[in-house]
């Protein structure tokens, strides 16, 4: 992954506690603290990384992608265009903006 330079990424999460923990510079000692600390250690490699909290009901795209991930036996990367299973949701979201 070191050859790919990520920029201006908005990470959306339906857990306000996780978003707050990732924004907090202090060390997280919760039961998932090490995972959060690993994420925070990776963040400086991304120019313009930010976090946003969304209600679970409003996060249908993440739900679909998560369900797809459970069915895959290989790694998938989408850099140019998103997977077809979320096109309809992206069109709706774009029409709202």
């Amino acid at each position: 992954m070191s050859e790919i330079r990520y920029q201006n990424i908005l990470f959306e999460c339906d857990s306000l506690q996780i978003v707050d923990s990732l924004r907090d510079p202090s060390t997280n000692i919760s039961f998932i603290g090490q995972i959060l600390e690993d994420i925070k250690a990776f963040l400086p490699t991304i120019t313009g990384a930010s976090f946003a909290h969304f209600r679970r009901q409003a996060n249908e795209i993440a739900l679909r992608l998560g369900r797809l991930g459970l069915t895959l036996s290989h790694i998938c990367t989408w850099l140019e265009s998103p997977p077809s299973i979320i096109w309809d949701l992206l069109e709706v979201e774009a029409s709202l903006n």
Side-chain angles (χ1 to χ4, degrees), residues 53-65:
H53 172 254
F54 285 85
R55 291 188 346 255
R56 183 165 292 174
Q57 299 86 336
N59 212 357
E60 181 68 23
I61 291 173
L63 180 63
R64 284 193 194 177
L65 290 174

Side-chain angles (χ1 to χ4, degrees), residues 4-94:
I4 299 174
R5 301 284 180 218
Y6 297 101
Q7 296 182 51
N8 304 319
I9 297 177
L10 171 62
F11 295 95
E12 298 176 353
C13 182
D14 60 15
S15 169
L16 183 57
Q17 288 177 313
I18 289 177
V19 171
D20 288 344
S21 294
L22 291 170
R23 289 177 176 162
D24 186 349
S26 62
T27 302
N28 187 301
I29 58 170
S30 71
F31 72 100
I32 63 165
Q34 187 58 56
I35 295 169
L36 296 172
E37 293 306 308
D38 288 348
I39 293 168
K40 287 196 259 185
F42 180 71
L43 287 177
T45 67
I46 303 171
T47 303
S50 60
F51 297 92
H53 172 254
F54 285 85
R55 291 188 346 255
R56 183 165 292 174
Q57 299 86 336
N59 212 357
E60 181 68 23
I61 291 173
L63 180 63
R64 284 193 194 177
L65 290 174
R67 286 181 179 156
L68 173 64
L70 292 173
T71 66
L72 299 175
S73 60
H74 59 283
I75 295 174
C76 292
T77 304
W78 299 286
L79 297 176
E80 297 294 325
S81 62
S84 60
I85 63 162
I86 61 169
W87 286 351
D88 61 318
L89 295 173
L90 293 174
E91 288 174 357
V92 169
E93 190 173 299

